[in-house]
Amino acid sequence: MRLVIAECQVDYVGRLTAHLPRAPRLLLVKSDGSVSVHADDRAYKPLNWMSPPCALKEFDLSSEGEKNAELASFPDDAQSAWIVENKAGEQLRIAIFSVELDTAHELGVDPGLIKDGVEAHLQELLAEHIGTLGEGYSLIRREYMTAIGPVDILCRDADGGTVAVEIKRRGEIDGVEQLTRYLELLNRDPHLAPVEGVYAAQVIKPQARTLAVDRGIRCVTLDYDALRGTESKEMRLF
């Protein structure tokens, strides 16, 4: 992982445009090729990012020879430029004016997220009762391993299509992002594609649901007690 703290300006050019004015920020380059731009707030959420697969090209703008047509839109006082482009031709164009820190660290293979007891049990129960997701669903396997971690459940719908399921106790935006990364990877496998996504949780926050729907991911609210075959102790109106 490479970490760069720099005064920079960032422009996203693609299906829409977005501009981050000049300011100090953290640039994160991961081994999977992704690049994200962070401010000193918002917890984990980046200001802008480019998901893999994408390519990063760096240019030294202090050299006269580097200022070609591709770099004409970068500010004249920028020291260097990053152009991050994905397979769809969308770009993050990062103008860097000064660098405070530029360091890289090898983190190795991550063991993955260890789920709490409820999430692990939800996964086990949903695999046993896969029909909860819909009539005609069948299980392929739990913990389907990918290059970026295990998918909670991989199954097939009634039409034989592949479905990847991410399970959370409390469904938030980071879980949608996680499932999105799995879907991007799985859909490159011709033996599985097309792969649909299901985000399943006991409670799904409105922001997470909105993002999931926008990305074509179906949301399912899980009743833990019903899956266990027991009655809930909570009072119900009906």
Side-chain angles (χ1 to χ4, degrees):
M1 180 182 292
R2 181 182 176 191
L3 300 95
V4 178
I5 297 176
E7 186 176 7
C8 62
Q9 168 187 302
V10 184
D11 289 279
Y12 170 81
V13 180
R15 288 167 293 180
L16 47 81
T17 58
H19 175 71
L20 292 173
R22 182 172 175 169
R25 297 187 179 93
L26 168 65
L27 307 176
L28 211 61
V29 184
K30 294 187 178 181
S31 59
D32 63 2
S34 63
V35 177
S36 55
V37 182
H38 298 260
D40 196 13
D41 62 1
R42 300 186 178 213
Y44 61 88
K45 186 173 177 61
L47 297 168
N48 214 325
W49 68 93
M50 187 68 75
S51 300
C54 57
L56 166 62
K57 293 189 292 185
E58 297 184 54
F59 301 89
D60 180 6
L61 298 184
S62 62
S63 169
E64 290 293 329
E66 289 279 14
K67 199 74 171 179
N68 54 32
E70 186 179 23
L71 304 171
S73 63
F74 283 89
D76 291 336
D77 57 340
Q79 292 184 358
S80 59
W82 291 12
I83 298 179
V84 189
E85 185 169 347
N86 65 15
K87 61 183 179 180
E90 299 166 320
Q91 292 184 342
L92 272 185
R93 299 174 66 85
I94 304 173
I96 297 176
F97 301 93
S98 63
V99 176
E100 295 295 326
L101 174 74
D102 189 343
T103 183
H105 302 271
E106 179 58 56
L107 301 185
V109 178
D110 190 89
L113 177 68
I114 306 299
K115 293 180 177 292
D116 66 28
V118 174
E119 285 188 13
H121 199 203
L122 277 172
Q123 183 193 119
E124 180 182 342
L125 290 169
L126 187 57
E128 291 176 1
H129 305 285
I130 198 67
T132 302
L133 299 178
E135 187 176 350
Y137 273 66
S138 59
L139 178 68
I140 297 176
R141 67 168 298 168
R142 291 170 54 195
E143 298 289 333
Y144 183 87
M145 187 56 65
T146 74
I148 58 174
V151 177
D152 287 338
I153 289 179
L154 199 68
C155 57
R156 295 198 186 280
D157 61 21
D159 299 321
T162 310
V163 180
V165 185
E166 179 63 28
I167 300 169
K168 299 290 184 188
R169 182 167 56 86
R170 183 179 179 84
E172 303 194 44
I173 284 178
D174 59 343
V176 180
E177 298 286 5
Q178 184 180 356
L179 179 54
T180 299
R181 293 192 294 271
Y182 287 143
L183 291 172
E184 288 177 352
L185 188 64
L186 293 169
N187 272 300
R188 292 181 223 156
D189 186 338
H191 300 293
L192 297 175
V195 183
E196 300 294 331
V198 170
Y199 192 41
Q202 287 180 281
V203 178
I204 301 177
K205 295 186 73 172
Q207 301 94 326
R209 187 180 294 273
T210 298
L211 180 62
V213 171
D214 182 67
R215 295 183 176 181
I217 295 170
R218 181 162 68 97
C219 292
V220 174
T221 303
L222 299 175
D223 187 326
Y224 185 59
D225 292 315
L227 284 172
R228 288 194 304 167
T230 61
E231 288 294 328
S232 173
K233 295 182 176 60
E234 293 182 6
M235 298 293 289
R236 295 182 181 179
L237 294 177
F238 49 86

